[in-house]
Amino acid sequence: MVDAGTSGIRAAVVGSDGAVAAVVHEAVRPVSPMQGFVELDARRLAAVALSVARAALEAGGPVEGVGIANQRATTIVWDRVSGEPVGPGIGWQDLRTVGMCLALASQGVRVPPNASATKLAALLDMADPGRSRDLCFGTVDTWLAWTLSGGSLHVTDSTNAGVTGLVETDGGPIRWSGRLLEALRIPAGVMPTIVDSSGVLGPASALPGAPPIAGIAGDQQASLVGQGCTRPGLAKATFGTGGMLDCCVGPVRPTFETRGPAGTFPVVAWQRGGQVSWGVEAVMLSAGAAVDWLVSDLGIIGSAGESDALAGSCHDTGDVWFVPALFGLGAPVWDFGARGTLLGITQGTGRAEVARAVLEGVAHRGADLVEAAEADSGKRIETLRVDGGMSANGTFVQLLADAIGRPVEVAPVVEATTLGAAYLAGMALGTWADEAEIASRWVPRVVVEPSRRVNRGRWLEARARAERTVPELSALDF
C-alpha cells in the first residue's frame, strides 16, 4: 500500500488478516511561495514513493498487489514522452484560481477553487497556452500509478475523478464532461482513463516482483473503506489538520448536484465492477490546526499530544467557548469569512480551560458534520467511527461522543487509509470476497460512550458569532 498524504508518503505491507506491518514514512511537505499558493515537487514525490515502497517490500514483502491512496484534487501535469512535470504540482489547498472560479460562476459554470479543474487550466495556460503539446494531467493517484508502472498507466479512479470538478454522471457512469473541458480549454487527450477503485490495472514494474496495481482511492474514501463503512448509514470521521466526515449512502446518487441543503457534497465512495457506491461528505476546515495553534502561536503547550492531559485536568471550560474557524467554516454554513472565536474568558480562565475549550470546539464541529450528513443523506448515523491524529487524544474522543450523543468507535490504526487501499486491492485479487466481508472485519480499538449532556444551543450561538467576520470572504460561494 502506498499512501501519499498532504505532508508525507507512507508505504506498508498489509496481511490477509488485516495486520499492518513494515510501515515506512518520509515527509514530503508542500511549500507556499506566496500567500494563497500551495505547491509540491512532483519529481520528489515520485522519488519518495518509489523509495518507501521498495523499503516496505524489502522489510515485509513480497506482496500480491499494490493499493494507492492519496490526497485528492492536487494537480500535476507532465510531458507524456519524457515523463517530466511541466510545472509545480498545485496543492488542493491552493487558492490562486479563485478569480477564475468567480469568472466561470458568472458564466454559469460552478467549480470550487479546491477542485482540480481550474488548477489544471492554470498549469496548461502556463506550459501550453496554444494547447499543442502532448501532456498528461493527473491527480496524485494518477502520478503514482504512472510512476509505479514505469509510465505505462495513465489512469484515475472514480473517487479521485469525482473531486476534480470535471465529471458528469447524468445517471450513467462517471465520465469527463465535454462541456466543462471546453469551458476551461482542456484538451480531452490530457485526461486519464477513469477506472474502478478496485480492479487489476497493470504491473507496478518499477517495484521488485512487479506486483499488480489493483486498488486506487482518494484518502477520505480509502479511510471510509478502511473503517468498514461499506453499508448505507455507516460513517467515519477523520480528524487531521482539518476534518472530513464521510457517510456511505449506497448505489443511488444523492439528489443534489453539487452541495446539499445541509452543506455536504455527493462523493463516489468507491467503484467496483463498474458499479458506483455513493456517499456524502461533510467538511470542517480546522480540526488539528486548532490544537497546533495552542502550540505554535499561543505556546501554552509544547506539543499537540499535551492537550489531552491538560484539557482532561479540568472538569469543564468554565463556560468558555471556542469556535475552530481559523480558515473559515465548512458544513453546514460554508462561510469563508468566519474566523476563530474564543468567548467567555474571565480572570479565572487558565491554560487548561482554553485547551479544553479548543477540543470541545472541534468536537462540536464534529457534531455539526454528523447532523449535516444525516440531513443530506437521510441516513441515521448510529455510531461514528474515527481515525486521524486526533483520534489518539482520549479527552477529545470523549468530548466528541458527548457532543454527538452517541458512541464513537476508534479505528485500530491511526491512518485507516492504509487498510482501505489494501482492502480495495485485496478485493480485486480475491484476498477478501466483497464489501460485506470488509464490513465484517471491523474491530475498533476502543468504543467511547457519551458520558454527559452538552449544551448544543450555546455552541450554536458561539458559532453564529464567528460567522461573517470578514464580510468580503463571507460573500464568496462556490
Side-chain angles (χ1 to χ4, degrees), residues 463-478:
R463 192 186 75 189
R465 294 178 68 176
E467 295 171 22
R468 297 175 295 279
T469 302
V470 186
E472 298 82 2
L473 293 178
S474 295
L476 297 178
D477 186 30
F478 299 102

Side-chain angles (χ1 to χ4, degrees), residues 9 168 324 332 353 358 384 393 399:
I9 302 181
E168 58 186 23
E353 287 77 15
V358 166
L384 182 64
N393 186 315
L399 292 170

Side-chain angles (χ1 to χ4, degrees), residues 34-228:
M34 62 182 70
Q35 186 173 1
F37 281 44
V38 181
E39 298 180 352
L40 58 84
D41 183 340
R43 294 181 187 86
R44 173 163 165 73
L45 188 151
V48 171
L50 287 172
S51 175
V52 297
R54 288 165 177 165
L57 285 173
E58 184 177 353
V63 296
E64 294 182 2
V66 177
I68 294 171
N70 60 284
Q71 54 170 298
R72 303 172 306 179
T74 291
T75 303
I76 302 169
V77 176
W78 65 96
D79 185 278
R80 190 181 301 276
V81 176
S82 70
E84 285 294 307
V86 299
I90 300 182
W92 61 269
Q93 318 97 311
D94 191 283
L95 296 176
R96 75 185 68 189
T97 62
V98 166
M100 189 186 302
C101 293
L102 293 173
L104 288 167
S106 69
Q107 302 167 25
V109 179
R110 290 177 61 86
V111 180
N114 62 311
S116 308
T118 53
K119 304 179 196 301
L120 169 55
L123 283 170
L124 290 175
D125 287 344
M126 177 186 68
D128 186 24
R131 304 302 196 261
S132 60
R133 296 179 63 180
D134 189 7
L135 302 179
C136 296
F137 152 69
T139 43
V140 171
D141 62 307
T142 308
W143 180 238
L144 288 180
W146 174 279
T147 298
L148 295 173
S149 69
S152 66
L153 290 175
H154 185 209
V155 298
T156 188
D157 89 302
S158 291
T159 68
N160 282 291
V163 295
T164 62
L166 291 169
V167 298
E168 58 186 23
T169 56
D170 297 334
I174 304 295
R175 60 193 180 278
W176 300 121
S177 167
R179 177 182 64 86
L180 293 171
L181 295 180
E182 182 179 359
L184 288 160
R185 297 183 59 239
I186 298 171
V190 309
M191 305 303 290
T193 301
I194 301 175
V195 298
D196 283 345
S197 311
S198 178
V200 176
L201 301 173
S205 55
L207 298 180
I213 298 172
I216 297 176
D219 51 7
Q220 299 308 316
Q221 289 94 330
S223 175
L224 186 74
V225 174
Q227 295 183 71

Side-chain angles (χ1 to χ4, degrees), residues 249-273:
V249 173
V252 179
R253 190 192 191 282
T255 56
F256 43 92
E257 181 61 30
T258 54
R259 197 166 77 203
T264 73
F265 297 93
V267 294
V268 176
W270 68 88
Q271 179 176 308
R272 192 166 78 93

